[in-house]
Coordinates of all heavy atoms in Angstrom, one line a residue:
L17 N 0.8 -1.2 0.0 CA 0.0 0.0 0.0 C 0.8 1.3 0.0 O 0.5 2.3 -0.6 CB -0.9 0.0 1.2 CG -2.1 -1.0 1.2 CD1 -2.8 -1.0 2.6 CD2 -3.1 -0.7 0.1
N18 N 2.0 1.2 0.6 CA 2.9 2.4 0.8 C 3.9 2.5 -0.3 O 4.8 3.3 -0.2 CB 3.5 2.4 2.2 CG 2.5 2.6 3.3 OD1 1.4 3.1 3.1 ND2 2.8 2.0 4.5
S19 N 3.9 1.6 -1.3 CA 4.9 1.6 -2.3 C 4.9 3.0 -3.1 O 6.0 3.4 -3.5 CB 4.7 0.5 -3.3 OG 3.5 0.6 -3.9
L20 N 3.8 3.6 -3.2 CA 3.7 4.9 -3.8 C 4.5 6.0 -3.1 O 5.2 6.8 -3.7 CB 2.3 5.4 -3.9 CG 2.0 6.7 -4.6 CD1 2.6 6.7 -6.1 CD2 0.5 7.1 -4.6
H21 N 4.5 5.9 -1.8 CA 5.3 6.9 -1.0 C 6.8 6.7 -1.2 O 7.6 7.7 -1.4 CB 5.0 6.7 0.5 CG 3.6 6.9 0.9 ND1 3.0 8.1 0.7 CD2 2.7 6.1 1.5 CE1 1.7 8.1 1.1 NE2 1.5 6.9 1.6
L22 N 7.3 5.4 -1.3 CA 8.7 5.2 -1.6 C 9.0 5.7 -3.0 O 10.0 6.3 -3.3 CB 9.0 3.7 -1.5 CG 10.4 3.2 -1.8 CD1 11.4 3.9 -0.9 CD2 10.5 1.7 -1.6
H23 N 8.1 5.4 -4.0 CA 8.3 5.8 -5.4 C 8.4 7.4 -5.4 O 9.3 7.9 -6.1 CB 7.1 5.4 -6.2 CG 7.0 6.0 -7.5 ND1 7.5 5.4 -8.7 CD2 6.4 7.2 -7.9 CE1 7.2 6.2 -9.7 NE2 6.6 7.3 -9.3
T24 N 7.6 8.1 -4.7 CA 7.6 9.5 -4.7 C 8.9 10.0 -4.0 O 9.5 11.0 -4.5 CB 6.4 10.1 -3.9 OG1 5.1 9.6 -4.5 CG2 6.3 11.6 -3.9
A25 N 9.3 9.4 -3.0 CA 10.5 9.9 -2.2 C 11.7 9.7 -3.1 O 12.6 10.6 -3.2 CB 10.6 9.1 -0.9
L26 N 11.8 8.6 -3.8 CA 13.0 8.3 -4.6 C 13.0 9.2 -5.8 O 14.1 9.8 -6.2 CB 13.1 6.8 -5.0 CG 13.4 5.9 -3.9 CD1 13.3 4.4 -4.4 CD2 14.9 6.1 -3.5
D27 N 11.9 9.4 -6.4 CA 11.8 10.3 -7.6 C 12.1 11.7 -7.2 O 12.8 12.4 -8.0 CB 10.4 10.3 -8.2 CG 10.2 9.1 -9.2 OD1 11.2 8.3 -9.3 OD2 9.2 9.0 -9.9
A28 N 11.7 12.2 -6.0 CA 12.0 13.5 -5.6 C 13.5 13.7 -5.3 O 14.1 14.7 -5.7 CB 11.2 13.8 -4.3
A29 N 14.1 12.6 -4.8 CA 15.6 12.7 -4.5 C 16.3 12.8 -5.8 O 17.4 13.5 -5.9 CB 16.0 11.4 -3.7
I30 N 15.9 12.1 -6.9 CA 16.6 12.0 -8.1 C 16.3 13.3 -9.0 O 17.2 14.0 -9.4 CB 16.2 10.8 -8.9 CG1 16.7 9.5 -8.2 CG2 16.7 10.8 -10.3 CD1 16.1 8.2 -8.7
L31 N 15.0 13.6 -9.1 CA 14.6 14.7 -10.0 C 14.7 16.1 -9.4 O 15.1 17.0 -10.1 CB 13.1 14.5 -10.5 CG 12.8 13.2 -11.2 CD1 11.3 13.0 -11.5 CD2 13.6 13.1 -12.5
E32 N 14.5 16.2 -8.1 CA 14.6 17.5 -7.5 C 15.8 17.6 -6.6 O 16.4 18.7 -6.6 CB 13.4 17.7 -6.5 CG 12.0 17.6 -7.3 CD 10.8 17.7 -6.3 OE1 11.0 18.1 -5.2 OE2 9.7 17.3 -6.7
G33 N 16.3 16.5 -6.0 CA 17.5 16.6 -5.2 C 18.8 16.3 -5.9 O 19.9 16.5 -5.4
G34 N 18.7 15.9 -7.2 CA 19.9 15.6 -7.9 C 20.6 14.3 -7.6 O 21.8 14.2 -8.0
L35 N 20.0 13.4 -6.9 CA 20.6 12.1 -6.6 C 21.0 11.4 -7.9 O 20.1 11.3 -8.8 CB 19.7 11.3 -5.7 CG 20.2 9.9 -5.3 CD1 21.4 10.1 -4.3 CD2 19.1 9.1 -4.7
S36 N 22.2 11.0 -8.0 CA 22.7 10.3 -9.2 C 23.2 8.9 -9.0 O 23.3 8.5 -7.8 CB 23.8 11.2 -9.8 OG 25.0 11.1 -9.0
F37 N 23.3 8.2 -10.0 CA 23.9 6.9 -10.0 C 25.3 6.9 -9.3 O 25.6 6.1 -8.5 CB 24.1 6.3 -11.4 CG 25.3 5.5 -11.7 CD1 25.4 4.2 -11.1 CD2 26.3 5.9 -12.4 CE1 26.5 3.4 -11.3 CE2 27.5 5.2 -12.6 CZ 27.5 3.9 -12.1
E38 N 26.1 7.9 -9.6 CA 27.4 8.1 -9.0 C 27.3 8.3 -7.5 O 28.2 7.8 -6.7 CB 28.2 9.3 -9.6 CG 28.6 9.0 -11.1 CD 27.5 9.3 -12.1 OE1 26.4 9.7 -11.7 OE2 27.8 9.1 -13.3
D39 N 26.3 9.0 -7.0 CA 26.1 9.2 -5.6 C 25.9 7.9 -4.9 O 26.5 7.7 -3.8 CB 24.9 10.2 -5.4 CG 25.2 11.6 -5.8 OD1 26.3 12.0 -5.8 OD2 24.2 12.2 -6.2
I40 N 25.0 7.1 -5.4 CA 24.7 5.8 -4.7 C 25.9 4.9 -4.8 O 26.3 4.2 -3.9 CB 23.5 5.2 -5.4 CG1 22.3 6.1 -5.2 CG2 23.2 3.8 -4.8 CD1 21.0 5.6 -5.7
F41 N 26.6 4.9 -6.0 CA 27.8 4.0 -6.1 C 28.9 4.4 -5.1 O 29.5 3.6 -4.5 CB 28.3 4.1 -7.5 CG 29.5 3.2 -7.8 CD1 29.3 1.8 -7.8 CD2 30.7 3.7 -8.1 CE1 30.4 0.9 -8.0 CE2 31.8 2.8 -8.3 CZ 31.7 1.5 -8.3
N42 N 29.1 5.7 -5.0 CA 30.1 6.2 -4.1 C 29.7 5.9 -2.6 O 30.6 5.6 -1.8 CB 30.4 7.7 -4.3 CG 31.1 8.0 -5.6 OD1 31.9 7.1 -6.0 ND2 30.9 9.1 -6.1
F43 N 28.4 6.0 -2.3 CA 27.9 5.6 -1.0 C 28.3 4.2 -0.7 O 28.7 3.9 0.4 CB 26.4 5.9 -1.0 CG 25.7 5.3 0.2 CD1 25.7 5.9 1.4 CD2 25.0 4.1 0.1 CE1 25.1 5.4 2.5 CE2 24.3 3.6 1.2 CZ 24.4 4.2 2.4
W44 N 28.1 3.3 -1.7 CA 28.4 1.9 -1.4 C 29.9 1.7 -1.3 O 30.3 0.9 -0.4 CB 27.9 1.1 -2.7 CG 28.3 -0.4 -2.6 CD1 27.8 -1.3 -1.8 CD2 29.3 -1.0 -3.4 NE1 28.4 -2.5 -2.0 CE2 29.3 -2.4 -3.1 CE3 30.1 -0.6 -4.5 CZ2 30.2 -3.3 -3.7 CZ3 31.0 -1.4 -5.1 CH2 31.0 -2.8 -4.7
I45 N 30.7 2.4 -2.0 CA 32.2 2.3 -2.0 C 32.6 2.6 -0.5 O 33.6 2.0 0.0 CB 32.9 3.2 -3.0 CG1 32.7 2.6 -4.4 CG2 34.3 3.3 -2.7 CD1 33.3 3.4 -5.5
K46 N 32.0 3.7 0.1 CA 32.4 4.2 1.4 C 31.8 3.3 2.5 O 32.2 3.5 3.7 CB 32.1 5.6 1.5 CG 32.8 6.5 0.6 CD 32.3 8.0 0.7 CE 33.0 8.9 -0.3 NZ 32.5 10.3 -0.3
S47 N 30.9 2.4 2.2 CA 30.3 1.6 3.3 C 31.1 0.4 3.6 O 32.1 0.1 2.9 CB 28.9 1.2 2.8 OG 28.9 0.1 1.9
H48 N 30.8 -0.3 4.7 CA 31.5 -1.5 5.0 C 31.2 -2.7 4.1 O 31.8 -3.7 4.2 CB 31.2 -1.9 6.5 CG 29.7 -2.2 6.7 ND1 28.8 -1.3 7.1 CD2 29.0 -3.4 6.6 CE1 27.6 -1.8 7.2 NE2 27.7 -3.1 6.9

């Protein structure tokens, strides 16, 4: 039921916040 909220949040992060593939990849590189 709440999948739309996740969809909206991720789209906002990408389209409005500028979240990129490189951001997530670098996040993974810096993680354990």
Side-chain angles (χ1 to χ4, degrees):
L17 291 173
N18 295 332
S19 61
L20 180 60
H21 298 301
L22 180 59
H23 168 93
T24 302
L26 287 173
D27 274 7
I30 294 169
L31 300 175
E32 299 174 21
L35 181 69
S36 67
F37 146 71
E38 290 82 3
D39 292 329
I40 298 180
F41 182 68
N42 289 330
F43 168 79
W44 174 71
I45 288 177
K46 294 175 182 177
S47 76
H48 63 268

